Amino acid sequence: MTGGQQPVFGPSRFAWADLDRDSARSLWTDLTTWVDWFRERYQPGSKITPCWYRHGAVVEELTALMAAHKAVYVVDRGVPEPWTENLTAWHTQWMRSAVDAVARLLADCTDQHCAHRPHPPKIATDLGGFIRDDIARRPAPNRGSTP
């Protein structure tokens, strides 16, 4: 920063614990779309079971993997790309280790059975219901004050 300005820090748009309802809805949309694409493209099989969204740690791992993927593959077209090493690094350093971590976290789950025991014990029976419940628990967006 120049001119004596101090940096302003705040949570990233990927910080689940700090999201309001609108931000959570947006991130759930991005993440579910990305995970569907990832599962189709990379065919991780049973390493990412259909119940992945019920497991908080898995959601965090996949969110981080998606953010890293976006950092490499979604670029400013006006800036020259030093992309070759980053593309390889995403695959060798980030993707493989994240998928291994997710597989360990989902080790007791199968395509037909989710072994996750949430606290509290109430759980939505479908992804849409789960996301609606998650969004409803979050604070309303801060729209600023009105005169």
Side-chain angles (χ1 to χ4, degrees):
M1 307 225 74
T2 60
Q5 291 178 324
Q6 294 296 314
V8 178
F9 293 99
S12 92
R13 72 177 205 89
F14 302 107
W16 283 103
D18 298 308
L19 299 180
D20 63 30
R21 292 174 185 167
D22 289 349
S23 299
R25 183 179 294 109
S26 177
L27 186 52
W28 272 118
T29 298
D30 289 350
L31 183 61
T32 56
T33 299
W34 187 86
V35 170
D36 287 347
W37 168 83
F38 180 82
R39 291 177 78 206
E40 182 178 328
R41 182 69 168 178
Y42 287 92
Q43 301 289 309
S46 62
K47 290 184 178 188
I48 302 176
T49 56
C51 64
W52 65 265
Y53 62 90
R54 294 176 185 229
H55 303 260
V58 172
V59 169
E60 296 290 349
E61 288 279 352
L62 292 174
T63 300
L65 186 60
M66 176 186 71
H69 186 264
K70 288 180 181 288
V72 173
Y73 284 90
V74 179
V75 298
D76 179 350
R77 299 228 183 256
V79 177
E81 298 179 43
W83 48 267
T84 307
E85 292 176 8
N86 293 337
L87 295 175
T88 302
W90 184 82
H91 286 88
T92 60
Q93 295 174 11
W94 305 113
M95 186 206 41
R96 291 178 186 146
S97 63
V99 170
D100 288 345
V102 167
R104 284 190 301 277
L105 290 165
L106 296 174
D108 295 332
C109 297
T110 67
D111 284 352
Q112 294 79 30
H113 173 74
C114 178
H116 182 54
R117 298 294 174 250
H119 300 283
K122 180 182 175 193
I123 190 164
T125 58
D126 64 294
L127 176 59
F130 184 89
I131 291 172
R132 280 189 301 279
D133 290 349
D134 177 77
I135 290 168
R137 284 191 299 271
R138 296 176 183 274
N142 183 357
R143 305 269 189 226
S145 59
T146 56

